[in-house]
């Protein structure tokens, strides 16, 4: 039994999942999103005026259960949830729990999904990320598309007569409590936890011989082709490692990170993404700086898209980090299309960290962040302080210019006569 607001730990989650490891038919499907919370099932429902994105049988059962719990509750209710640290290592825990046949469904082509029911199967379906844009409508569409994927996979297995169990979870929660009574107390702890959770998997390491020369990390690495086909490369790049980096090149002055994918989605047979970096000596700063000059996308060997990069540079001994990188003007680091083919692509990279020179001990060096020290808030504070200081200075100056009369009337004597010449 779980309690109101209880956070299920990793050990408790293992106990709850124990029946899945002992049943006769051991077929488990793990639907993994980048972020998800219980609130999403109510916030994006019809209750808030949205078109309900949850239509498949699995999510409908969950929504009906949540609605029944909320309706029968006599007061406000905080539902239990699973600790994000437990879900982050859920895949490795499942693999250690038994002799599973692991299948990564990365291209979401469920029509070709074949499952041998005679052996225990663990199917990992990496759903598309919800952070592909800053608009709520895109998040709603992403959840609806993931709901369709869950429905297609489960219906296909049901038609094959295969018994299975389903886990629908995410790497991190999508919502954090905004209660004013806890934010002030937990702000430092939450920021520390977010920093700890930022690297949930190791970065991509490209070696030249036995020496690491390129490190690349992103919490979300996604592309969108022709404004319709979403290609999530996060799992293939960092978790499943279904990426070919053999074409990457390293030198003291020029470095190219080449990422080649085979059939990342239906309709695209091959996809190559190149990050071109250079290192030059600048006399003004008397040191070497590296810059990410351009990003190139090659589809099926003939369609070539090129983006010029704005705002990605750092000292050659450092790595570079930026929270958001893409083609939008709202992002601190931008990818600017430089040819017509690039206009058909939308690139989104969150929590980007890259280093193409001077990699030591297979670890990132000190990171130069794209957000400068003087943020917009600091500039507003400085400008306001300068204006107030100017008003104060002007007021003191005016007070100091006040003068008093040199002669005063004596009430007991004759009236003071001041000539007009004085």
């Amino acid at each position: 039994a779980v309690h109101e607001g209880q956070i299920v730990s990793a050990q408790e989650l293992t106990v709850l999942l124990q029946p899945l490891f002992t049943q006769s038919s051991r077929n488990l499907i793990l639907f993994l999103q980048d972020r998800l919370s219980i609130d999403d099932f109510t916030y994006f429902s019809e209750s808030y005026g949205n078109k309900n994105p949850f239509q498949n049988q699995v999510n409908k059962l969950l929504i009906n259960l949540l609605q029944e719990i909320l309706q029968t509750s006599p007061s406000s209710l905080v539902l239990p949830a699973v600790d994000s640290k437990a879900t982050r290592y859920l895949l490795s825990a499942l693999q250690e729990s038994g002799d599973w046949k692991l299948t990564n469904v990365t291209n979401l082509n469920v029509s070709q999904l074949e499952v041998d029911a005679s052996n225990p199967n663990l199917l990992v379906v990496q759903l598309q990320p919800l952070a592909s844009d800053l608009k709520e409508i895109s998040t709603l569409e992403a959840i609806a598309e993931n709901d369709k994927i869950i429905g297609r996979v489960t219906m296909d297995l049901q038609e094959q007569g295969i018994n299975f169990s389903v886990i629908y979870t995410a790497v991190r929660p999508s919502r954090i409590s905004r209660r004013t009574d806890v934010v002030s107390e937990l702000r430092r702890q939450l920021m520390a936890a977010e920093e700890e959770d930022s690297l949930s998997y190791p970065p991509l390491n490209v070696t030249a011989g036995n020496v690491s020369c390129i490190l690349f990390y992103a919490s979300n690495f996604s592309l969108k082709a022709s404004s319709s086909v979403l290609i999530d490369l996060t799992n293939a790049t960092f978790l499943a490692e279904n990426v070919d980096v053999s074409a990457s090149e390293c030198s003291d002055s020029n470095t190219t990170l080449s990422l080649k994918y085979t059939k990342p989605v239906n309709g695209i047979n091959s996809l190559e993404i190149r990050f071109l970096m250079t290192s030059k000596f600048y006399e003004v700063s008397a040191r070497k700086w590296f810059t990410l000059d351009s990003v190139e996308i090659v589809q099926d060997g003939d369609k070539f898209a090129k983006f010029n990069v704005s705002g990605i540079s750092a000292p050659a001994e450092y790595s570079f980090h930026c929270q958001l990188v893409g083609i939008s003007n709202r992002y601190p680091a931008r990818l600017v299309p430089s040819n017509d083919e690039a206009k058909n692509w939308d690139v989104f990279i969150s929590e980007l960290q890259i280093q193409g020179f001077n990699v030591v001990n297979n670890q990132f060096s000190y990171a130069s962040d794209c957000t400068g020290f003087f943020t917009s808030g600091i500039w507003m504070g400085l400008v306001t302080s300068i204006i107030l200081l100017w008003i104060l200075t002007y007021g003191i100056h005016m007070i100091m210019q006040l003068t008093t009369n040199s002669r005063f009337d004596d009430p007991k004597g004759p009236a003071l006569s001041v000539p007009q010449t004085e």
Side-chain angles (χ1 to χ4, degrees), residues 205-224:
N205 188 356
V206 179
T207 59
N210 296 326
V211 180
S212 297
C213 61
I214 303 176
L215 292 176
F216 174 65
Y217 175 85
S219 63
N220 186 4
F221 183 26
S222 305
L223 308 176
K224 184 178 288 187

Side-chain angles (χ1 to χ4, degrees), residues 127-145:
L127 301 174
Q128 65 176 344
L130 304 185
S132 58
D133 200 351
L134 297 180
K135 298 179 180 178
E136 286 288 350
I137 185 64
S138 64
T139 303
L140 183 65
E141 293 174 352
I143 290 181
E145 184 63 28

Side-chain angles (χ1 to χ4, degrees), residues 391-406:
I391 295 174
L392 177 63
T393 304
Y394 179 77
I396 294 176
H397 175 73
M398 294 300 294
I399 292 175
M400 293 179 63
Q401 296 301 316
L402 294 177
T403 59
T404 59
N405 296 327
S406 58

